[in-house]
Amino acid sequence: MSVLIITHTQDNESIDLVSQEIERRGEIAIRFDTDRFPTEVQLDILYSGDVEKLLLLQDGQQFDLAQVSGVWYRRLNVGGKIPAQMDEQFRYASIQESRATLFGLITSLRAFHLDSIPVIRRVENKQLQLRVAREIGLDTPQTLITNQPAAVKEFARSCATGTIAKMMASFAIYDNLGQEQVVFTNRLSDTDLENLDGLKFCPMTFQELLPKQVELRVTIVGKQVFCAAVDSQQLDNAKLDWRKEGIALIDAWYPYT
């Protein structure tokens, strides 16, 4: 058995830990760092008559992906090593074609997928997740998604404990030094409520602020509930968004019933 791990070179130690466990069981772990494709890693895909060839070539090794029995779709950064100096239009075209090639390959593999790309894309829809959570009886915070400043001000007045703002999509903005500036969850101040003109360019998500005792991350599979907790309130910078201190809290997570 072999498992194809879809990731990138900057991913964390979870890749090594899973790979070691797969190999401990006598199986093969194939790490595919997507930021190295297409510049350093090659794919050779052939369909001809009865022949189907799906080859991954990297670091002097060749892997027959047609024999893969499992796929772990972990992280993605296709074309991450394509030179930034390339013409912007050509670079975009190269990344898009590389993504289409890679997604087509992954989707076509006759293997167990954790998870399949269509499922991952569906799960990324936070509004769908919110609707499903409400339908199965979970308590959810008051939520407003809008690009209308007047609606935000009215909503904020209904939130007795305060209002937070967050983004639907995961992205980063890079400053003049090339440093990543992630948009975290932030509390709205009175000054913010008077400066909402930017909404005409980009909608945002607003929720009532819920004071925390402990931070939970809950995954529900069927009727099984898997829960982990972290005391995000121990660090001032993590009280609204634990991800701001994600590295500092990495060993502080524990199972929660």
Side-chain angles (χ1 to χ4, degrees):
M1 182 183 80
S2 59
V3 177
L4 178 65
I5 302 175
I6 307 297
T7 184
H8 57 71
T9 54
Q10 299 303 309
D11 206 347
N12 61 37
E13 67 274 14
S14 64
I15 303 301
D16 290 335
L17 293 173
V18 171
S19 297
Q20 291 167 12
E21 178 60 24
I22 292 171
E23 292 167 357
R24 187 187 69 80
R25 300 184 182 199
E27 315 298 350
I28 299 171
I30 305 170
R31 176 171 179 156
F32 188 165
D33 287 320
T34 56
D35 54 326
R36 299 179 63 200
F37 177 71
T39 51
E40 300 174 5
V41 172
Q42 290 78 47
L43 288 176
D44 192 1
I45 303 168
L46 173 67
Y47 303 105
S48 177
D50 295 333
V51 176
E52 180 177 298
K53 183 169 68 173
L54 308 173
L55 298 181
L56 169 66
L57 302 98
Q58 61 181 5
D59 303 325
Q61 292 183 289
Q62 177 175 294
F63 301 97
D64 183 0
L65 299 186
Q67 303 303 313
V68 164
S69 52
V71 178
W72 180 24
Y73 187 103
R74 161 74 180 164
R75 294 274 173 84
L76 200 70
N77 183 21
V78 179
K81 293 184 180 294
I82 294 177
Q85 297 78 16
M86 180 185 288
D87 180 277
E88 184 176 347
Q89 295 186 75
F90 291 141
R91 189 174 191 276
Y92 176 80
S94 296
I95 291 175
Q96 291 303 106
E97 191 67 14
S98 298
R99 286 174 66 92
T101 299
L102 183 56
F103 283 170
L105 168 69
I106 295 171
T107 305
S108 70
L109 294 177
R110 300 179 181 87
F112 171 78
H113 289 250
L114 182 70
D115 280 319
S116 66
I117 292 175
V119 168
I120 292 171
R121 291 292 171 260
R122 190 167 188 267
V123 168
E124 289 174 347
N125 188 324
K126 292 183 174 64
Q127 288 161 265
L128 172 62
Q129 298 300 313
L130 188 61
R131 193 206 76 195
V132 171
R134 290 164 58 84
E135 288 177 350
I136 65 174
L138 294 178
D139 290 334
T140 59
Q142 293 186 77
T143 303
L144 172 69
I145 303 162
T146 187
N147 62 337
Q148 184 181 186
V152 179
K153 293 178 181 180
E154 181 180 352
F155 178 77
R157 286 193 292 269
S158 72
C159 299
T161 56
T163 310
I164 59 171
K166 58 174 65 173
M167 310 303 294
M168 280 286 184
S170 298
F171 64 90
I173 296 173
Y174 294 86
D175 61 22
N176 294 333
L177 299 177
Q179 295 179 319
E180 184 180 57
Q181 305 295 322
V182 177
V183 181
F184 290 104
T185 300
N186 292 284
R187 183 168 187 165
L188 283 187
S189 66
D190 292 339
T191 301
D192 294 328
L193 290 171
E194 296 304 319
N195 292 275
L196 295 170
D197 291 344
L199 287 177
K200 65 185 177 184
F201 300 113
C202 180
M204 287 190 74
T205 301
F206 304 89
Q207 288 183 326
E208 62 176 319
L209 173 62
L210 299 179
K212 303 173 187 176
Q213 293 181 352
V214 65
E215 187 97 24
L216 304 181
R217 280 293 174 268
V218 183
T219 301
I220 300 176
V221 182
K223 294 186 178 181
Q224 289 183 285
V225 178
F226 302 89
C227 185
V230 67
D231 182 9
S232 58
Q233 305 308 288
Q234 65 180 289
L235 300 174
D236 288 339
N237 208 31
K239 288 185 175 181
L240 280 178
D241 193 331
W242 66 269
R243 297 171 302 172
K244 287 186 177 181
E245 295 286 359
I247 299 300
L249 293 170
I250 196 166
D251 294 322
W253 288 88
Y254 59 93
Y256 188 92
T257 300

PDB file of all heavy atoms in Angstrom, residues 2-36:
ATOM      1  N   SER A   2       0.460   2.273  -0.713  1.00  0.00           N
ATOM      2  CA  SER A   2       1.176   3.547  -0.692  1.00  0.00           C
ATOM      3  C   SER A   2       0.172   4.673  -0.521  1.00  0.00           C
ATOM      4  O   SER A   2      -0.955   4.601  -1.003  1.00  0.00           O
ATOM      5  CB  SER A   2       1.983   3.737  -1.983  1.00  0.00           C
ATOM      6  OG  SER A   2       1.137   3.700  -3.121  1.00  0.00           O
ATOM      7  N   VAL A   3       0.597   5.712   0.199  1.00  0.00           N
ATOM      8  CA  VAL A   3      -0.262   6.860   0.474  1.00  0.00           C
ATOM      9  C   VAL A   3       0.387   8.103  -0.106  1.00  0.00           C
ATOM     10  O   VAL A   3       1.557   8.400   0.178  1.00  0.00           O
ATOM     11  CB  VAL A   3      -0.478   7.037   1.986  1.00  0.00           C
ATOM     12  CG1 VAL A   3      -1.313   8.293   2.258  1.00  0.00           C
ATOM     13  CG2 VAL A   3      -1.150   5.805   2.583  1.00  0.00           C
ATOM     14  N   LEU A   4      -0.364   8.844  -0.916  1.00  0.00           N
ATOM     15  CA  LEU A   4       0.108  10.091  -1.499  1.00  0.00           C
ATOM     16  C   LEU A   4      -0.329  11.242  -0.587  1.00  0.00           C
ATOM     17  O   LEU A   4      -1.519  11.426  -0.329  1.00  0.00           O
ATOM     18  CB  LEU A   4      -0.479  10.279  -2.903  1.00  0.00           C
ATOM     19  CG  LEU A   4      -0.109  11.579  -3.619  1.00  0.00           C
ATOM     20  CD1 LEU A   4       1.389  11.628  -3.912  1.00  0.00           C
ATOM     21  CD2 LEU A   4      -0.907  11.719  -4.920  1.00  0.00           C
ATOM     22  N   ILE A   5       0.651  12.014  -0.096  1.00  0.00           N
ATOM     23  CA  ILE A   5       0.369  13.132   0.806  1.00  0.00           C
ATOM     24  C   ILE A   5       0.523  14.435   0.029  1.00  0.00           C
ATOM     25  O   ILE A   5       1.627  14.782  -0.412  1.00  0.00           O
ATOM     26  CB  ILE A   5       1.306  13.120   2.016  1.00  0.00           C
ATOM     27  CG1 ILE A   5       1.167  11.786   2.779  1.00  0.00           C
ATOM     28  CG2 ILE A   5       1.019  14.295   2.937  1.00  0.00           C
ATOM     29  CD1 ILE A   5       2.152  11.630   3.922  1.00  0.00           C
ATOM     30  N   ILE A   6      -0.583  15.156  -0.137  1.00  0.00           N
ATOM     31  CA  ILE A   6      -0.580  16.413  -0.877  1.00  0.00           C
ATOM     32  C   ILE A   6      -0.308  17.543   0.106  1.00  0.00           C
ATOM     33  O   ILE A   6      -1.117  17.835   0.973  1.00  0.00           O
ATOM     34  CB  ILE A   6      -1.939  16.642  -1.578  1.00  0.00           C
ATOM     35  CG1 ILE A   6      -2.329  15.420  -2.427  1.00  0.00           C
ATOM     36  CG2 ILE A   6      -1.893  17.912  -2.416  1.00  0.00           C
ATOM     37  CD1 ILE A   6      -1.392  15.130  -3.563  1.00  0.00           C
ATOM     38  N   THR A   7       0.839  18.227  -0.032  1.00  0.00           N
ATOM     39  CA  THR A   7       1.225  19.249   0.934  1.00  0.00           C
ATOM     40  C   THR A   7       2.124  20.282   0.260  1.00  0.00           C
ATOM     41  O   THR A   7       2.094  20.444  -0.962  1.00  0.00           O
ATOM     42  CB  THR A   7       1.918  18.592   2.153  1.00  0.00           C
ATOM     43  OG1 THR A   7       2.212  19.577   3.113  1.00  0.00           O
ATOM     44  CG2 THR A   7       3.176  17.839   1.745  1.00  0.00           C
ATOM     45  N   HIS A   8       2.937  20.992   1.039  1.00  0.00           N
ATOM     46  CA  HIS A   8       3.937  21.910   0.493  1.00  0.00           C
ATOM     47  C   HIS A   8       5.124  21.957   1.448  1.00  0.00           C
ATOM     48  O   HIS A   8       5.060  21.453   2.582  1.00  0.00           O
ATOM     49  CB  HIS A   8       3.366  23.309   0.239  1.00  0.00           C
ATOM     50  CG  HIS A   8       2.771  23.971   1.449  1.00  0.00           C
ATOM     51  ND1 HIS A   8       3.530  24.439   2.499  1.00  0.00           N
ATOM     52  CD2 HIS A   8       1.481  24.251   1.764  1.00  0.00           C
ATOM     53  CE1 HIS A   8       2.752  24.988   3.405  1.00  0.00           C
ATOM     54  NE2 HIS A   8       1.489  24.876   2.997  1.00  0.00           N
ATOM     55  N   THR A   9       6.218  22.544   1.014  1.00  0.00           N
ATOM     56  CA  THR A   9       7.473  22.440   1.755  1.00  0.00           C
ATOM     57  C   THR A   9       7.431  23.126   3.118  1.00  0.00           C
ATOM     58  O   THR A   9       8.215  22.784   4.002  1.00  0.00           O
ATOM     59  CB  THR A   9       8.639  23.031   0.938  1.00  0.00           C
ATOM     60  OG1 THR A   9       8.305  24.372   0.544  1.00  0.00           O
ATOM     61  CG2 THR A   9       8.913  22.198  -0.296  1.00  0.00           C
ATOM     62  N   GLN A  10       6.541  24.103   3.310  1.00  0.00           N
ATOM     63  CA  GLN A  10       6.493  24.837   4.567  1.00  0.00           C
ATOM     64  C   GLN A  10       5.475  24.274   5.552  1.00  0.00           C
ATOM     65  O   GLN A  10       5.205  24.893   6.588  1.00  0.00           O
ATOM     66  CB  GLN A  10       6.174  26.322   4.296  1.00  0.00           C
ATOM     67  CG  GLN A  10       7.207  27.019   3.433  1.00  0.00           C
ATOM     68  CD  GLN A  10       8.608  26.946   4.007  1.00  0.00           C
ATOM     69  OE1 GLN A  10       8.808  27.269   5.177  1.00  0.00           O
ATOM     70  NE2 GLN A  10       9.565  26.507   3.209  1.00  0.00           N
ATOM     71  N   ASP A  11       4.895  23.110   5.252  1.00  0.00           N
ATOM     72  CA  ASP A  11       3.919  22.519   6.166  1.00  0.00           C
ATOM     73  C   ASP A  11       4.619  22.093   7.455  1.00  0.00           C
ATOM     74  O   ASP A  11       5.855  21.973   7.507  1.00  0.00           O
ATOM     75  CB  ASP A  11       3.238  21.319   5.497  1.00  0.00           C
ATOM     76  CG  ASP A  11       1.851  21.046   6.070  1.00  0.00           C
ATOM     77  OD1 ASP A  11       1.523  21.613   7.127  1.00  0.00           O
ATOM     78  OD2 ASP A  11       1.095  20.263   5.456  1.00  0.00           O
ATOM     79  N   ASN A  12       3.827  21.825   8.493  1.00  0.00           N
ATOM     80  CA  ASN A  12       4.416  21.539   9.804  1.00  0.00           C
ATOM     81  C   ASN A  12       4.802  20.065   9.973  1.00  0.00           C
ATOM     82  O   ASN A  12       4.746  19.275   9.027  1.00  0.00           O
ATOM     83  CB  ASN A  12       3.473  21.996  10.930  1.00  0.00           C
ATOM     84  CG  ASN A  12       2.126  21.278  10.884  1.00  0.00           C
ATOM     85  OD1 ASN A  12       2.041  20.098  10.567  1.00  0.00           O
ATOM     86  ND2 ASN A  12       1.070  22.004  11.207  1.00  0.00           N
ATOM     87  N   GLU A  13       5.145  19.706  11.203  1.00  0.00           N
ATOM     88  CA  GLU A  13       5.695  18.366  11.474  1.00  0.00           C
ATOM     89  C   GLU A  13       4.680  17.244  11.357  1.00  0.00           C
ATOM     90  O   GLU A  13       5.047  16.066  11.424  1.00  0.00           O
ATOM     91  CB  GLU A  13       6.330  18.336  12.872  1.00  0.00           C
ATOM     92  CG  GLU A  13       5.357  18.478  14.031  1.00  0.00           C
ATOM     93  CD  GLU A  13       5.046  19.904  14.401  1.00  0.00           C
ATOM     94  OE1 GLU A  13       5.366  20.812  13.601  1.00  0.00           O
ATOM     95  OE2 GLU A  13       4.479  20.130  15.481  1.00  0.00           O
ATOM     96  N   SER A  14       3.408  17.580  11.168  1.00  0.00           N
ATOM     97  CA  SER A  14       2.394  16.530  11.050  1.00  0.00           C
ATOM     98  C   SER A  14       2.677  15.606   9.863  1.00  0.00           C
ATOM     99  O   SER A  14       2.370  14.412   9.913  1.00  0.00           O
ATOM    100  CB  SER A  14       0.995  17.141  10.907  1.00  0.00           C
ATOM    101  OG  SER A  14       0.886  17.877   9.702  1.00  0.00           O
ATOM    102  N   ILE A  15       3.278  16.152   8.813  1.00  0.00           N
ATOM    103  CA  ILE A  15       3.592  15.338   7.634  1.00  0.00           C
ATOM    104  C   ILE A  15       4.592  14.247   7.999  1.00  0.00           C
ATOM    105  O   ILE A  15       4.410  13.067   7.652  1.00  0.00           O
ATOM    106  CB  ILE A  15       4.150  16.210   6.495  1.00  0.00           C
ATOM    107  CG1 ILE A  15       3.159  17.315   6.122  1.00  0.00           C
ATOM    108  CG2 ILE A  15       4.458  15.343   5.276  1.00  0.00           C
ATOM    109  CD1 ILE A  15       1.810  16.823   5.671  1.00  0.00           C
ATOM    110  N   ASP A  16       5.650  14.614   8.706  1.00  0.00           N
ATOM    111  CA  ASP A  16       6.663  13.631   9.102  1.00  0.00           C
ATOM    112  C   ASP A  16       6.077  12.601  10.055  1.00  0.00           C
ATOM    113  O   ASP A  16       6.382  11.400   9.956  1.00  0.00           O
ATOM    114  CB  ASP A  16       7.857  14.331   9.753  1.00  0.00           C
ATOM    115  CG  ASP A  16       8.666  15.144   8.753  1.00  0.00           C
ATOM    116  OD1 ASP A  16       8.610  14.807   7.549  1.00  0.00           O
ATOM    117  OD2 ASP A  16       9.333  16.097   9.173  1.00  0.00           O
ATOM    118  N   LEU A  17       5.243  13.037  10.992  1.00  0.00           N
ATOM    119  CA  LEU A  17       4.658  12.114  11.963  1.00  0.00           C
ATOM    120  C   LEU A  17       3.764  11.082  11.274  1.00  0.00           C
ATOM    121  O   LEU A  17       3.839   9.878  11.578  1.00  0.00           O
ATOM    122  CB  LEU A  17       3.852  12.896  13.011  1.00  0.00           C
ATOM    123  CG  LEU A  17       4.665  13.796  13.946  1.00  0.00           C
ATOM    124  CD1 LEU A  17       3.740  14.632  14.813  1.00  0.00           C
ATOM    125  CD2 LEU A  17       5.593  12.950  14.813  1.00  0.00           C
ATOM    126  N   VAL A  18       2.932  11.537  10.351  1.00  0.00           N
ATOM    127  CA  VAL A  18       2.052  10.606   9.627  1.00  0.00           C
ATOM    128  C   VAL A  18       2.873   9.688   8.722  1.00  0.00           C
ATOM    129  O   VAL A  18       2.621   8.482   8.652  1.00  0.00           O
ATOM    130  CB  VAL A  18       0.997  11.384   8.815  1.00  0.00           C
ATOM    131  CG1 VAL A  18       0.225  10.442   7.898  1.00  0.00           C
ATOM    132  CG2 VAL A  18       0.035  12.117   9.748  1.00  0.00           C
ATOM    133  N   SER A  19       3.866  10.251   8.047  1.00  0.00           N
ATOM    134  CA  SER A  19       4.716   9.447   7.160  1.00  0.00           C
ATOM    135  C   SER A  19       5.432   8.348   7.944  1.00  0.00           C
ATOM    136  O   SER A  19       5.512   7.190   7.491  1.00  0.00           O
ATOM    137  CB  SER A  19       5.743  10.337   6.460  1.00  0.00           C
ATOM    138  OG  SER A  19       5.116  11.278   5.627  1.00  0.00           O
ATOM    139  N   GLN A  20       5.943   8.694   9.122  1.00  0.00           N
ATOM    140  CA  GLN A  20       6.640   7.703   9.954  1.00  0.00           C
ATOM    141  C   GLN A  20       5.699   6.571  10.372  1.00  0.00           C
ATOM    142  O   GLN A  20       6.093   5.401  10.401  1.00  0.00           O
ATOM    143  CB  GLN A  20       7.234   8.379  11.181  1.00  0.00           C
ATOM    144  CG  GLN A  20       8.396   9.307  10.868  1.00  0.00           C
ATOM    145  CD  GLN A  20       8.765  10.210  12.032  1.00  0.00           C
ATOM    146  OE1 GLN A  20       8.306  10.015  13.167  1.00  0.00           O
ATOM    147  NE2 GLN A  20       9.576  11.234  11.769  1.00  0.00           N
ATOM    148  N   GLU A  21       4.459   6.908  10.695  1.00  0.00           N
ATOM    149  CA  GLU A  21       3.502   5.885  11.107  1.00  0.00           C
ATOM    150  C   GLU A  21       3.139   4.975   9.930  1.00  0.00           C
ATOM    151  O   GLU A  21       3.018   3.753  10.085  1.00  0.00           O
ATOM    152  CB  GLU A  21       2.237   6.535  11.681  1.00  0.00           C
ATOM    153  CG  GLU A  21       1.155   5.553  12.095  1.00  0.00           C
ATOM    154  CD  GLU A  21       1.601   4.564  13.170  1.00  0.00           C
ATOM    155  OE1 GLU A  21       2.562   4.887  13.920  1.00  0.00           O
ATOM    156  OE2 GLU A  21       1.002   3.473  13.269  1.00  0.00           O
ATOM    157  N   ILE A  22       2.969   5.577   8.734  1.00  0.00           N
ATOM    158  CA  ILE A  22       2.680   4.772   7.550  1.00  0.00           C
ATOM    159  C   ILE A  22       3.819   3.794   7.286  1.00  0.00           C
ATOM    160  O   ILE A  22       3.598   2.597   7.027  1.00  0.00           O
ATOM    161  CB  ILE A  22       2.453   5.690   6.322  1.00  0.00           C
ATOM    162  CG1 ILE A  22       1.153   6.482   6.492  1.00  0.00           C
ATOM    163  CG2 ILE A  22       2.419   4.878   5.024  1.00  0.00           C
ATOM    164  CD1 ILE A  22       0.951   7.561   5.447  1.00  0.00           C
ATOM    165  N   GLU A  23       5.052   4.291   7.366  1.00  0.00           N
ATOM    166  CA  GLU A  23       6.216   3.443   7.107  1.00  0.00           C
ATOM    167  C   GLU A  23       6.412   2.402   8.207  1.00  0.00           C
ATOM    168  O   GLU A  23       6.883   1.294   7.946  1.00  0.00           O
ATOM    169  CB  GLU A  23       7.448   4.325   6.949  1.00  0.00           C
ATOM    170  CG  GLU A  23       7.379   5.172   5.666  1.00  0.00           C
ATOM    171  CD  GLU A  23       8.418   6.277   5.616  1.00  0.00           C
ATOM    172  OE1 GLU A  23       9.163   6.425   6.613  1.00  0.00           O
ATOM    173  OE2 GLU A  23       8.470   6.991   4.590  1.00  0.00           O
ATOM    174  N   ARG A  24       6.042   2.748   9.447  1.00  0.00           N
ATOM    175  CA  ARG A  24       6.126   1.786  10.542  1.00  0.00           C
ATOM    176  C   ARG A  24       5.241   0.583  10.274  1.00  0.00           C
ATOM    177  O   ARG A  24       5.544  -0.547  10.685  1.00  0.00           O
ATOM    178  CB  ARG A  24       5.724   2.455  11.859  1.00  0.00           C
ATOM    179  CG  ARG A  24       5.941   1.584  13.098  1.00  0.00           C
ATOM    180  CD  ARG A  24       5.369   2.217  14.338  1.00  0.00           C
ATOM    181  NE  ARG A  24       3.911   2.235  14.311  1.00  0.00           N
ATOM    182  CZ  ARG A  24       3.142   1.192  14.603  1.00  0.00           C
ATOM    183  NH1 ARG A  24       3.679   0.032  14.936  1.00  0.00           N
ATOM    184  NH2 ARG A  24       1.829   1.285  14.551  1.00  0.00           N
ATOM    185  N   ARG A  25       4.151   0.818   9.557  1.00  0.00           N
ATOM    186  CA  ARG A  25       3.224  -0.261   9.211  1.00  0.00           C
ATOM    187  C   ARG A  25       3.638  -1.009   7.950  1.00  0.00           C
ATOM    188  O   ARG A  25       2.899  -1.851   7.449  1.00  0.00           O
ATOM    189  CB  ARG A  25       1.818   0.308   9.037  1.00  0.00           C
ATOM    190  CG  ARG A  25       1.276   0.988  10.292  1.00  0.00           C
ATOM    191  CD  ARG A  25      -0.150   1.454  10.118  1.00  0.00           C
ATOM    192  NE  ARG A  25      -0.633   2.133  11.315  1.00  0.00           N
ATOM    193  CZ  ARG A  25      -1.925   2.330  11.595  1.00  0.00           C
ATOM    194  NH1 ARG A  25      -2.847   1.899  10.754  1.00  0.00           N
ATOM    195  NH2 ARG A  25      -2.279   2.966  12.691  1.00  0.00           N
ATOM    196  N   GLY A  26       4.825  -0.693   7.450  1.00  0.00           N
ATOM    197  CA  GLY A  26       5.338  -1.403   6.282  1.00  0.00           C
ATOM    198  C   GLY A  26       4.818  -0.888   4.957  1.00  0.00           C
ATOM    199  O   GLY A  26       4.960  -1.558   3.929  1.00  0.00           O
ATOM    200  N   GLU A  27       4.252   0.301   4.956  1.00  0.00           N
ATOM    201  CA  GLU A  27       3.703   0.881   3.734  1.00  0.00           C
ATOM    202  C   GLU A  27       4.593   2.030   3.259  1.00  0.00           C
ATOM    203  O   GLU A  27       5.576   2.393   3.903  1.00  0.00           O
ATOM    204  CB  GLU A  27       2.264   1.372   3.968  1.00  0.00           C
ATOM    205  CG  GLU A  27       1.383   0.404   4.736  1.00  0.00           C
ATOM    206  CD  GLU A  27       1.175  -0.937   4.036  1.00  0.00           C
ATOM    207  OE1 GLU A  27       1.551  -1.058   2.857  1.00  0.00           O
ATOM    208  OE2 GLU A  27       0.653  -1.861   4.667  1.00  0.00           O
ATOM    209  N   ILE A  28       4.219   2.628   2.128  1.00  0.00           N
ATOM    210  CA  ILE A  28       5.023   3.681   1.515  1.00  0.00           C
ATOM    211  C   ILE A  28       4.288   5.013   1.615  1.00  0.00           C
ATOM    212  O   ILE A  28       3.107   5.106   1.261  1.00  0.00           O
ATOM    213  CB  ILE A  28       5.313   3.357   0.037  1.00  0.00           C
ATOM    214  CG1 ILE A  28       6.094   2.042  -0.079  1.00  0.00           C
ATOM    215  CG2 ILE A  28       6.083   4.498  -0.635  1.00  0.00           C
ATOM    216  CD1 ILE A  28       6.235   1.544  -1.501  1.00  0.00           C
ATOM    217  N   ALA A  29       4.974   6.038   2.091  1.00  0.00           N
ATOM    218  CA  ALA A  29       4.426   7.395   2.136  1.00  0.00           C
ATOM    219  C   ALA A  29       5.108   8.228   1.050  1.00  0.00           C
ATOM    220  O   ALA A  29       6.335   8.329   1.015  1.00  0.00           O
ATOM    221  CB  ALA A  29       4.644   8.025   3.502  1.00  0.00           C
ATOM    222  N   ILE A  30       4.315   8.807   0.160  1.00  0.00           N
ATOM    223  CA  ILE A  30       4.847   9.628  -0.931  1.00  0.00           C
ATOM    224  C   ILE A  30       4.463  11.080  -0.661  1.00  0.00           C
ATOM    225  O   ILE A  30       3.289  11.444  -0.716  1.00  0.00           O
ATOM    226  CB  ILE A  30       4.280   9.183  -2.297  1.00  0.00           C
ATOM    227  CG1 ILE A  30       4.531   7.692  -2.522  1.00  0.00           C
ATOM    228  CG2 ILE A  30       4.872  10.017  -3.415  1.00  0.00           C
ATOM    229  CD1 ILE A  30       3.805   7.129  -3.727  1.00  0.00           C
ATOM    230  N   ARG A  31       5.431  11.894  -0.354  1.00  0.00           N
ATOM    231  CA  ARG A  31       5.175  13.319  -0.082  1.00  0.00           C
ATOM    232  C   ARG A  31       5.250  14.103  -1.386  1.00  0.00           C
ATOM    233  O   ARG A  31       6.261  14.071  -2.091  1.00  0.00           O
ATOM    234  CB  ARG A  31       6.181  13.861   0.917  1.00  0.00           C
ATOM    235  CG  ARG A  31       6.021  15.356   1.168  1.00  0.00           C
ATOM    236  CD  ARG A  31       6.864  15.838   2.317  1.00  0.00           C
ATOM    237  NE  ARG A  31       6.701  17.279   2.513  1.00  0.00           N
ATOM    238  CZ  ARG A  31       6.917  17.911   3.658  1.00  0.00           C
ATOM    239  NH1 ARG A  31       7.308  17.218   4.720  1.00  0.00           N
ATOM    240  NH2 ARG A  31       6.742  19.214   3.755  1.00  0.00           N
ATOM    241  N   PHE A  32       4.181  14.826  -1.704  1.00  0.00           N
ATOM    242  CA  PHE A  32       4.128  15.650  -2.903  1.00  0.00           C
ATOM    243  C   PHE A  32       4.048  17.111  -2.452  1.00  0.00           C
ATOM    244  O   PHE A  32       2.991  17.590  -2.062  1.00  0.00           O
ATOM    245  CB  PHE A  32       2.904  15.272  -3.749  1.00  0.00           C
ATOM    246  CG  PHE A  32       2.849  15.923  -5.115  1.00  0.00           C
ATOM    247  CD1 PHE A  32       1.984  15.436  -6.082  1.00  0.00           C
ATOM    248  CD2 PHE A  32       3.641  17.017  -5.445  1.00  0.00           C
ATOM    249  CE1 PHE A  32       1.918  16.018  -7.340  1.00  0.00           C
ATOM    250  CE2 PHE A  32       3.584  17.601  -6.689  1.00  0.00           C
ATOM    251  CZ  PHE A  32       2.722  17.100  -7.646  1.00  0.00           C
ATOM    252  N   ASP A  33       5.178  17.818  -2.507  1.00  0.00           N
ATOM    253  CA  ASP A  33       5.206  19.236  -2.163  1.00  0.00           C
ATOM    254  C   ASP A  33       4.747  20.038  -3.378  1.00  0.00           C
ATOM    255  O   ASP A  33       5.506  20.236  -4.331  1.00  0.00           O
ATOM    256  CB  ASP A  33       6.615  19.658  -1.738  1.00  0.00           C
ATOM    257  CG  ASP A  33       6.979  19.121  -0.367  1.00  0.00           C
ATOM    258  OD1 ASP A  33       6.110  19.114   0.515  1.00  0.00           O
ATOM    259  OD2 ASP A  33       8.144  18.705  -0.183  1.00  0.00           O
ATOM    260  N   THR A  34       3.515  20.521  -3.315  1.00  0.00           N
ATOM    261  CA  THR A  34       2.900  21.129  -4.497  1.00  0.00           C
ATOM    262  C   THR A  34       3.548  22.449  -4.903  1.00  0.00           C
ATOM    263  O   THR A  34       3.423  22.861  -6.068  1.00  0.00           O
ATOM    264  CB  THR A  34       1.399  21.351  -4.265  1.00  0.00           C
ATOM    265  OG1 THR A  34       1.201  22.136  -3.083  1.00  0.00           O
ATOM    266  CG2 THR A  34       0.685  20.021  -4.091  1.00  0.00           C
ATOM    267  N   ASP A  35       4.243  23.139  -3.979  1.00  0.00           N
ATOM    268  CA  ASP A  35       4.917  24.378  -4.368  1.00  0.00           C
ATOM    269  C   ASP A  35       6.118  24.100  -5.266  1.00  0.00           C
ATOM    270  O   ASP A  35       6.631  25.018  -5.929  1.00  0.00           O
ATOM    271  CB  ASP A  35       5.332  25.187  -3.138  1.00  0.00           C
ATOM    272  CG  ASP A  35       6.170  24.383  -2.151  1.00  0.00           C
ATOM    273  OD1 ASP A  35       5.939  23.164  -2.022  1.00  0.00           O
ATOM    274  OD2 ASP A  35       7.036  24.989  -1.492  1.00  0.00           O
ATOM    275  N   ARG A  36       6.561  22.846  -5.319  1.00  0.00           N
ATOM    276  CA  ARG A  36       7.680  22.470  -6.196  1.00  0.00           C
ATOM    277  C   ARG A  36       7.213  22.065  -7.593  1.00  0.00           C
ATOM    278  O   ARG A  36       8.040  21.786  -8.463  1.00  0.00           O
ATOM    279  CB  ARG A  36       8.465  21.325  -5.554  1.00  0.00           C
ATOM    280  CG  ARG A  36       9.079  21.662  -4.201  1.00  0.00           C
ATOM    281  CD  ARG A  36       9.808  20.454  -3.641  1.00  0.00           C
ATOM    282  NE  ARG A  36      10.926  20.060  -4.502  1.00  0.00           N
ATOM    283  CZ  ARG A  36      11.491  18.851  -4.489  1.00  0.00           C
ATOM    284  NH1 ARG A  36      11.041  17.933  -3.644  1.00  0.00           N
ATOM    285  NH2 ARG A  36      12.493  18.576  -5.294  1.00  0.00           N
TER     286      ARG A  36
END
